[in-house]
Amino acid sequence: MLMPRVKKEEQPEKKVRKKMKPIQAVKGMKDILPPEQFIWEHILETSRHMCQDFGFGRIETPIVENTDLFKRGVGQVTDIVEKEMFSFETQGGDKISLRPEGTAGVVRSYIENGMSRWTQPVRLYYDGSMFRYDKPQQGRYREFHHFGAEVIGEDSPAIDAHVIYLAWKIFQKIGIKDISIQINSIGCATCRAKYKKLLTDYYDMKINKLCTDCKRRLEKNPMRLLDCKEEKCMQVAAGAPQIIDNLCPECNGHFKSVLEFLDELEIPYVLNSNLVRGLDYYTRTVFEIWAEGDDNDSRQTALGGGGRYDGLIGLLGGEETPAVGFAFGVERVAEKVMKLNLDLEPKISKDVFLVQLGDLARRKVMKVFDKIIDTDISVGESVGRGSIKSQLRMANKAHAKLALIIGQKEALDNTVIVRDMKSGMQETVIMNEIVKEVRRMLSK
Ligand code: AMP
């Protein structure tokens, strides 16, 4: 059928495709690329192994939880719940939040799964993404990762020391040796109530010297004022009454005992009376792991922290159960590892490296690769790249013992040149017998 002719001026204009604007990662969130992965693996694998050696079991909890879990668990008047939660309402009307920390979810799971019937204490470790709507900056992201460990069901000070000891050991094994354990006790509900009154009276007299946030927090959470990083508030905090002088005899005895255990284990610690931690659920021992030798404010770069939280299980609807735990930020630890320039780069060493030249050889090399990948012989290649010389350089870099070279002639003959990378000696072998021949030459 003849199509009607369209006059030139009536023809639709050719569309010029506009270059699309690239979509970027969400603010405060970042990719962890292959060159960083070996550092992350080193950190996570070291921590996981250490926890397993200490008798901890791995737990994974969902990334989202009911918002109420964090409101009740972490506390209404904390920065995290007040300002930093990613909260949503689902299509069904449920109010849920991306987890800002791991402990509340672990405790919910402990209660929900009846772990109080397990042999106590229950020791759990976890790692995963956490989310806080914080102002993004170096070492502070909106998605970051925690590695954490919790011991639930035991109030002995030996367990506090055990958990600090675990954290200490993990950092030593990762290779960050120059750290300090900052430690304090914030008492129990009884001694804290008395102390809060003392503190409020003190701050009431200095109210004009405080930042706006602290003025607001004073009524509901006066202990958070000790932790404020505003210069003027830090000056006021320096003269504040100290919780350590106001502990009840039980809390005092508990804290003394924790310190004695740490002395016994020869873990150096620094008593820090202004350390209160940002979360409501802590009782008695609180601690942070600070990187020493930083030019930055090390508070800003606290690598991790934790403490005892004897009230949390009750608060979340379980039987009153004592517990203690810690978590560290994997990004900050990875940044520290990078700064320290630790020699972690994996020495990937391959048994054989495949080298080819030309299209037919490339296809044959894929077949050889397929034969070898199914065996215990480790194999490297750079399919589609470079001259024979540059591929041999890559074989050297991969510490390969043998290079398997297929050029145009070998591709036609179905043979492979096997080159001993150390001696430079070469043999031509039949392609179908390559696995047998390689094994023979590797065993020499
Ligand atoms: P926290 O529960 O706030 O004490 O956090 C424990 C550790 O997690 C901190 O010492 C940091 O290493 C890390 N961390 C906390 N918040 C962030 C964040 N916004 N970005 C990166 N790491 C964080």
Side-chain angles (χ1 to χ4, degrees), residues 164-182 267-270 288-294 301-304 333 336 340:
I164 295 171
Y165 177 53
L166 168 63
W168 170 263
K169 276 284 189 206
I170 286 177
F171 277 91
Q172 298 302 306
K173 196 89 187 194
I174 286 174
I176 306 178
K177 306 214 181 235
D178 200 8
I179 52 168
S180 72
I181 303 286
Q182 306 279 319
I267 296 173
Y269 55 82
V270 178
E288 275 185 356
I289 301 134
W290 290 7
E292 290 298 316
D294 267 349
T301 56
L303 297 173
V333 172
K336 187 74 196 165
L340 290 173

Side-chain angles (χ1 to χ4, degrees), residues 29 34 47 62 143 239 305-306 323 350 389:
M29 305 198 179
S47 311
E143 182 190 17
K350 301 283 186 194
K389 211 168 151 195

Side-chain angles (χ1 to χ4, degrees), residues 80 84 100-101 131-132 134-135 137 139-146 277-279 281-282 288-289 299-306 327-333:
I80 291 183
E84 295 174 4
E101 56 92 60
F131 301 83
R132 294 185 193 171
D134 217 342
K135 195 169 156 220
Q137 53 190 287
R140 202 166 277 278
Y141 309 102
R142 288 186 175 169
E143 182 190 17
F144 61 98
H145 297 72
H146 265 172
R277 310 270 299 130
L279 291 73
Y281 54 58
Y282 286 113
E288 275 185 356
I289 301 134
R299 242 170 189 222
Q300 203 55 42
T301 56
L303 297 173
F328 67 77
V330 184
E331 282 77 2
R332 281 198 207 165
V333 172

